[in-house]
Amino acid sequence: MINLYGATYDRIQLLRHVGDVSQIAHAKIYQLTDGNEKGVDAIDFRTGSGLSFTVLPSRGLDISYAEYQGIPLCWRSSTGDVHPAHYEPDGLGWLRGFYGGLLTTCGMRQVGVPSEDNDEALGLHGRVSHIPAKNVWVDGRWEGQRYMLWAQGKVKETAALGEHLSRTRRIWTELGSQTLHIEDIVENLGYQDSPHMYLFHINVGFPILTENSELLAPSSQVTPRDETAAADLNNYNLCEPPTVDFQEQAFYHEMEPDVDNHIHVALVNRNFNNGQGIGVSVRYHKTQFPNFVQWKMCGEGTYVIGLEPSNCGVEGRAKERERGTLQFIEPGGRRHYEVEIGVLTSNAEIDEFQEKVARTQN
């Protein structure tokens, strides 16, 4: 059965009320036409529950925007949805195309600060978010009583005489849903072991992020990345108002999984809309993403909390190799990643989520 607009329908009952299911939910592809966004392909998803989000095939099938019943779920930077032709790979140039959004993927061979590793100069956070997807498939269909919507495509990070990594991504949701799902398969199609660093940069912003917001996470240990973060370690899970000259902080979390080896994390604002409450939740597999990075940036205009499942740290590939923690994909090998992002629409749902987190810590 399908729950919509305070009522319950089966497939036949619902379709009797509309000329086409796109009246209620759809995945629609189009192209941006202005300025540094010109030529960017985009896909708008609408589930009928109030959840809407935009996927950019031109930017590695990342998610540039999301909202729930008109409420923004993510932070957006000043850059816009920059076309990948404007990518600046050196140093911190990645930031000139970092629109934020609900999801910016980092990797597939480098994550974190610029570094030099094995005579290879590596810019901030790697290339994958600036590589256009091929074989893009956008569609929807009924599967019994469920109407499924998806976008799928492939991104290759490859070079003549060099690496050959391929990532197949499928983003899907369904009619009436308050969640979206990302499924990635990364494969090494080359003939040598390839370094593999991978991080989901999930960027939550105002109005879910305010000075009253709180991070809910099953953390058994929280480690600051540097002295700046160490000075605010006692407040890692709390949020400040937009602050003049705020210095970004990053914290590494050791998370406790549930019985199914899932990690559940959320940023919540219990005071939203006179105490109704709202939040963004993230679920992922501990075996796929053994690490979790919290990015805390409460500056003016750059007001965002990053929820970042990863297989690495954020200090660059050279540091990862030095520590002996750098992961590799063998020739013919593959790595599988699944992440669910959802909306907590009330304090009752937040309480239920918090109880779930508490159970994993006991």
Side-chain angles (χ1 to χ4, degrees):
M1 302 298 284
I2 305 160
N3 296 313
L4 280 175
Y5 319 128
T8 302
Y9 305 88
D10 65 25
R11 172 181 174 178
I12 299 301
Q13 289 171 335
L14 183 63
L15 291 180
R16 289 176 62 197
H17 290 79
V18 299
D20 185 80
V21 70
S22 63
Q23 180 175 328
I24 303 168
H26 68 216
K28 180 180 181 180
I29 190 165
Y30 59 97
Q31 192 172 89
L32 305 180
T33 62
D34 191 39
N36 62 4
E37 301 178 336
K38 186 173 183 178
V40 171
D41 292 327
I43 307 162
D44 279 350
F45 283 81
R46 185 163 54 89
T47 70
S49 71
L51 175 64
S52 301
F53 57 95
T54 301
V55 174
L56 302 182
S58 297
R59 292 291 304 269
L61 286 166
D62 279 342
I63 304 173
S64 67
Y65 182 71
E67 64 178 38
Y68 177 75
Q69 296 185 351
I71 304 162
L73 301 179
C74 60
W75 169 75
R76 291 272 300 170
S77 84
S78 60
T79 69
D81 298 332
V82 180
H83 191 280
H86 302 294
Y87 175 43
E88 298 183 19
D90 299 331
L92 298 177
W94 183 90
L95 292 170
R96 296 192 180 277
F98 177 43
Y99 49 73
L102 189 66
L103 171 64
T104 299
T105 310
C106 303
M108 294 186 273
R109 301 173 67 251
Q110 150 71 358
V111 167
V113 299
S115 65
E116 184 172 315
D117 179 57
N118 281 2
D119 298 323
E120 182 180 1
L122 302 164
L124 180 67
H125 283 329
R127 296 178 175 274
V128 67
S129 183
H130 289 84
I131 303 174
K134 294 183 176 181
N135 306 117
V136 176
W137 179 23
V138 183
D139 212 341
R141 69 175 174 225
W142 286 98
E143 296 181 0
Q145 296 297 320
R146 303 169 68 189
Y147 186 71
M148 313 303 296
L149 297 158
W150 67 86
Q152 180 174 312
K154 292 185 177 182
V155 164
K156 285 191 176 185
E157 183 171 353
T158 186
L161 312 182
E163 72 277 2
H164 190 177
L165 297 182
S166 175
R167 187 203 66 195
T168 302
R169 167 167 287 178
R170 184 180 179 91
I171 296 177
W172 65 271
T173 186
E174 63 183 290
L175 175 63
S177 180
Q178 297 169 191
T179 63
L180 63 92
H181 304 258
I182 306 121
E183 300 176 2
D184 286 357
I185 296 175
V186 179
E187 302 174 88
N188 184 357
L189 303 182
Y191 296 91
Q192 296 180 338
D193 288 351
S194 174
H196 180 48
M197 301 177 71
Y198 209 53
L199 178 146
F200 274 26
H201 212 299
I202 300 167
N203 309 289
V204 186
F206 176 82
I208 295 171
L209 174 59
T210 71
E211 59 189 290
N212 301 308
S213 302
E214 179 183 5
L215 177 71
L216 303 180
S219 304
S220 60
Q221 181 177 346
V222 182
T223 304
R225 179 184 62 180
D226 52 27
E227 293 181 358
T228 301
D232 198 38
L233 179 59
N234 291 336
N235 298 313
Y236 77 88
N237 62 322
L238 304 176
C239 303
E240 294 87 351
T243 303
V244 177
D245 295 329
F246 188 92
Q247 299 299 303
E248 69 172 354
Q249 303 168 7
F251 302 93
Y252 295 121
H253 291 247
E254 180 58 39
M255 299 284 201
E256 296 297 326
D258 65 13
V259 294
D260 296 317
N261 218 25
H262 287 115
I263 303 290
H264 302 264
V265 184
L267 188 73
V268 302
N269 178 0
R270 293 183 179 276
N271 293 338
F272 176 78
N273 196 17
N274 297 316
Q276 174 184 323
I278 195 168
V280 168
S281 65
V282 177
R283 185 185 74 168
Y284 63 94
H285 287 269
K286 174 79 170 182
T287 53
Q288 297 170 354
F289 286 116
N291 302 327
F292 182 87
V293 184
Q294 174 198 355
W295 179 45
K296 184 176 179 182
M297 184 61 211
C298 294
E300 296 174 301
T302 312
Y303 192 56
V304 53
I305 296 292
L307 310 177
E308 304 174 7
S310 71
N311 73 349
C312 58
V314 290
E315 293 157 88
R317 198 170 84 193
K319 179 63 70 174
E320 208 76 14
R321 189 186 297 274
E322 177 185 320
R323 290 172 173 160
T325 55
L326 180 61
Q327 294 195 22
F328 293 83
I329 303 182
E330 68 282 5
R334 60 169 54 187
R335 301 294 181 268
H336 187 199
Y337 303 97
E338 294 180 81
V339 173
E340 176 187 286
I341 304 175
V343 187
L344 303 173
T345 65
S346 66
N347 277 329
E349 292 185 5
I350 292 172
D351 289 342
E352 183 179 350
F353 183 91
Q354 190 166 24
E355 290 174 6
K356 185 187 302 181
V357 169
R359 285 195 296 270
T360 66
Q361 295 176 297
N362 295 330

